[in-house]
Amino acid sequence: CLISTKTANKDYPPELSAGLNTVYEILRMLTVRELKRRAEEARGKTDFVTGVSTRLLFTEYVDKLYKDRTISDYAACAFSLKGMAELNRQVGNDKGNRLMAVYVKGLQDFLGDDGLVARTGGINFSVIFKKNRFDEIAVYLYGKIVSLDGDAEGRIMSACAGFYPISENCTSAEELNTT
């Protein structure tokens, strides 16, 4: 519940009223930002735990590549993070999720405009990327040291992955989601 500025101005001295107005504006901005985040999440395109795309956005992205007739320039990969159950036991689920998010967002940042990372559920992800980046993606998934702000030491995170070079014979995004 947000404080009404009119009530704050009417009942309090000017200094306190100004402070309450500032708090009100901050809360209003945070509420708007949260509502936007929830709306995006409701559209199902951003995973709220990791911040990467969902399967829905992955499918839309791949469908656009088909329509643009550039799909044969890409490869796909499905991967699962290794050792997440043990990591969660050691550091807790919240910190484990944050480490997972850093790892997969790092992969998305690494890809840039050359592909897309999507969470398909739990510790499972799909990636589509330009074929010429195959070796780089394989090295990234093999293992990276990941740390959170304030951590003195990082954790090695890696994935078990299957790669799929896409040919012109591939007919849809759903074919990639089922392979």
Side-chain angles (χ1 to χ4, degrees):
C1 179
L2 297 178
I3 302 167
S4 165
T5 56
K6 292 183 185 207
T7 302
N9 287 331
K10 184 168 65 171
D11 298 332
Y12 300 104
E15 308 83 29
L16 184 56
S17 185
L20 288 172
N21 283 334
T22 302
V23 169
Y24 170 81
E25 286 302 313
I26 291 169
L27 289 172
R28 188 182 63 74
M29 287 186 308
L30 290 174
T31 301
V32 168
R33 190 176 301 149
E34 177 64 14
L35 289 172
K36 285 181 181 177
R37 185 192 67 77
R38 287 183 184 183
E40 182 66 27
E41 192 176 303
R43 285 193 289 273
K45 295 184 179 182
T46 303
D47 178 65
F48 71 96
V49 173
T50 62
V52 297
S53 302
T54 62
R55 183 186 298 252
L56 175 63
L57 188 58
F58 181 83
T59 301
E60 288 177 6
Y61 185 89
V62 172
D63 281 341
K64 182 177 179 341
L65 295 174
Y66 281 111
K67 288 176 186 157
D68 294 346
R69 300 182 187 268
T70 58
I71 193 68
S72 61
D73 297 337
Y74 287 81
C77 170
F79 71 89
S80 294
L81 296 177
K82 290 182 183 177
M84 280 303 296
E86 180 60 28
L87 178 65
N88 286 337
R89 278 193 291 281
Q90 291 174 2
V91 301
N93 288 342
D94 181 56
K95 190 171 181 180
N97 282 342
R98 288 186 288 137
L99 287 163
M100 174 174 61
V102 169
Y103 180 74
V104 296
K105 280 198 254 182
L107 178 57
Q108 182 61 67
D109 291 345
F110 182 68
L111 283 171
D113 293 334
D114 286 343
L116 185 75
V117 178
R119 187 176 187 197
T120 55
I123 58 171
N124 302 311
F125 297 84
S126 292
V127 183
I128 187 157
F129 58 93
K130 293 216 172 162
K131 287 179 181 174
N132 64 351
R133 307 258 339 248
F134 178 87
D135 291 340
E136 298 171 80
I137 303 305
V139 168
Y140 189 100
L141 294 175
Y142 182 74
K144 279 288 194 204
I145 297 174
V146 178
S147 61
L148 300 173
D149 290 337
D151 278 355
E153 61 183 57
R155 302 276 178 163
I156 296 176
M157 296 193 71
S158 62
C160 181
F163 291 88
Y164 180 74
I166 303 169
S167 72
E168 292 178 10
N169 300 331
C170 193
T171 57
S172 73
E174 283 306 309
E175 185 176 332
L176 295 178
N177 280 330
T178 58
T179 55

